Amino acid sequence: MPQITVLEHLLLHQKESPMATGRFTRLLNELILAAKIIAREVNKAGLVDVLGFTGETNVQDEEVRKLDEYANKVLIHRMARAGVLCAMGSEENADLIEIPDPLPRGDYFLMFDPLDGSTNIDANVNVGTIFSIYRLPSDRPNANCTPLLSEVLMPGSQQVAAGYFLYGTSTMMVYSTGKGVHGFTLDPSVGEFLLSHPDIRTPELGKIYSVNESYWHYWDEAAKESVAYFKSLENERRKPYSLRYIGSLVADFHRNMLYGGVFLYPADARDPKKPQGKLRLLCEASPLAFLAEQAGGRATDGSRRILDIEPHELHQRVPLFIGSRRDVEKIGEIFAKHGAGN
Ligand code: AHM
Ligand code: MG
């Protein structure tokens, strides 16, 4: 395998693409640097516990930070200084994050989940940073000011790039600019993400289903029938799918994309304030849907393509069915039969 870095890959394979601009390269470069800093801290997480530094201050008299807050701060601090963003949105911040004056602004809008699956961190389970990138028209009115929320709320089909960093046994970056999905693994000896998974294609028919089945009683009939289908002997494979659920969306998605499978987070009736389930459209579902489709898979909310959904809130939640094409299409058939989404 040639030792190609993310930026070399971008420049080599996308020469003709508008993504090969210096500004996009800069954005990606800053994102990679932020992820390396987060990875360093994530890798120390267990060590901090073992050494008993979990009090108010650590040995350097620094405040001990919760890792998700830390990841959020690193991303905001670095990306605000990239000089290419007009604003950001984070799972951890209620409102749009402005680029403070006098820092230079650009046309890109970055949405991210700084540390997805962070409840798993103390158990040394994979977590990740999910990112989604949009570009606003440079001739928009007040292009030098923070955009209005209505300007950045765009359907996922308008993403110019999306991806994630996965912090695990090794640190990976998986991303797409709409020309396939490419995976890079951090080689700690040189400090670079090197191409390890070029042009990832997900199997058309999976063998894994991933869902928190304890919510069964809160689901509607379409969701129940979908999960029952994957467990049954009468599905397309004529044998039950294997159940795998880490509880870190980014890790569950990554495994299913490589091996073939479907991840389900249906709407449920647990919390009347969250009738659409737990996952967020803009910082979780949309970027992963972009990757799923680029890898040959699908992503829906049961009836609608995730990438077609027009957002109306920054932290909008959405049911998510994502993974191998034929499995997600089957869920769509079951939902249509139940009249869901009509
Ligand atoms: P988080 O972004 O606060 O970590 O929450 C999202 C996570 C996903 O990674 C995962 O798929 C889901 O929550 C698990 O939820 P549940 O515990 O309801 O199964
Ligand atoms: Mg998350």
Side-chain angles (χ1 to χ4, degrees):
M1 183 78 60
Q3 306 275 290
I4 296 181
T5 67
V6 181
L7 297 181
E8 282 166 351
H9 184 266
L10 185 74
L11 294 171
L12 276 174
H13 293 267
Q14 312 203 351
K15 263 192 196 133
E16 312 305 324
S17 153
M19 307 313 300
T21 65
R23 300 182 81 69
F24 181 75
T25 309
R26 178 155 177 79
L27 198 172
L28 222 48
N29 214 8
E30 285 297 329
L31 211 47
I32 289 169
L33 189 51
K36 285 181 192 169
I37 295 169
I38 296 167
R40 186 185 60 193
E41 213 66 18
V42 167
N43 290 339
K44 284 198 301 204
L47 193 63
V48 169
D49 271 351
V50 170
L51 298 178
F53 294 162
T54 47
E56 293 280 288
T57 56
N58 67 16
V59 277
Q60 283 93 35
D61 252 349
E62 293 164 339
E63 206 183 321
V64 176
R65 300 146 293 204
K66 283 168 75 187
L67 267 174
D68 44 4
E69 285 169 21
Y70 176 77
N72 197 37
K73 278 186 189 153
V74 169
L75 281 159
I76 293 172
H77 181 86
R78 290 221 68 88
M79 299 314 297
R81 282 155 185 78
V84 297
L85 297 181
C86 55
M88 287 177 265
S90 163
E91 188 192 290
E92 301 285 333
N93 294 58
D95 301 315
L96 271 189
I97 302 161
E98 301 191 6
I99 309 300
D101 286 328
L103 295 174
R105 298 194 181 91
D107 300 330
Y108 289 101
F109 172 64
L110 173 69
M111 190 79 207
F112 57 84
D113 180 351
L115 211 58
D116 177 63
S118 52
T119 51
N120 280 315
I121 197 91
D122 290 337
N124 208 1
V125 170
N126 294 24
V127 291
T129 299
I130 307 175
F131 61 90
S132 164
I133 302 169
Y134 294 82
R135 189 173 190 179
L136 270 63
S138 40
D139 58 355
R140 69 186 191 280
N142 300 323
N144 295 328
C145 305
T146 302
L148 301 171
L149 184 57
S150 57
E151 288 178 276
V152 301
L153 291 180
M154 287 179 264
S157 56
Q158 291 191 38
Q159 289 171 102
V160 294
Y164 53 82
F165 296 92
L166 186 62
Y167 313 109
T169 38
S170 50
T171 300
M172 281 197 74
M173 174 181 179
V174 175
Y175 90 115
S176 176
T177 57
K179 297 193 171 187
V181 179
H182 309 286
F184 300 78
T185 304
L186 183 63
D187 180 340
S189 65
V190 290
E192 292 279 8
F193 284 97
L194 301 176
L195 184 62
S196 53
H197 297 65
D199 207 9
I200 298 171
R201 303 296 298 169
T202 196
E204 289 209 341
L205 186 67
K207 52 186 178 188
I208 294 168
Y209 77 107
S210 307
V211 65
N212 189 336
E213 219 168 321
S214 68
Y215 303 141
W216 175 273
H217 296 289
Y218 300 112
W219 292 336
D220 62 19
E221 291 307 312
K224 284 181 181 168
E225 191 179 324
S226 299
V227 172
Y229 167 84
F230 294 111
K231 301 201 293 189
S232 84
L233 298 172
E234 277 79 50
N235 58 38
E236 200 176 332
R237 297 179 72 238
R238 302 275 163 230
K239 57 182 175 186
Y241 286 49
S242 291
L243 170 61
R244 297 281 184 272
Y245 191 71
I246 297 172
S248 276
L249 171 63
V250 64
D252 278 311
F253 174 83
H254 182 73
R255 181 205 52 238
N256 289 2
M257 182 169 64
L258 295 183
Y259 296 170
V262 61
F263 176 96
L264 309 89
Y265 207 113
D268 65 59
R270 260 179 308 157
D271 181 349
K273 281 187 270 167
K274 295 179 198 160
Q276 297 301 303
K278 178 180 183 187
L279 300 178
R280 286 100 172 157
L281 175 62
L282 289 173
C283 63
E284 294 174 322
S286 269
L288 297 186
F290 189 80
L291 295 173
E293 289 199 2
Q294 284 293 317
R298 295 286 183 275
T300 72
D301 69 350
S303 43
R304 291 176 297 173
R305 181 180 174 231
I306 292 289
L307 295 182
D308 286 339
I309 298 175
E310 293 274 354
H312 48 84
E313 283 173 37
L314 198 58
H315 295 287
Q316 188 167 329
R317 297 180 195 259
V318 70
L320 180 62
F321 304 93
I322 188 166
S324 292
R325 181 177 64 77
R326 272 149 66 188
D327 297 328
V328 177
E329 284 173 356
K330 182 67 198 180
I331 294 170
E333 284 170 29
I334 294 170
F335 271 70
K337 190 179 79 183
H338 285 272
N342 297 330

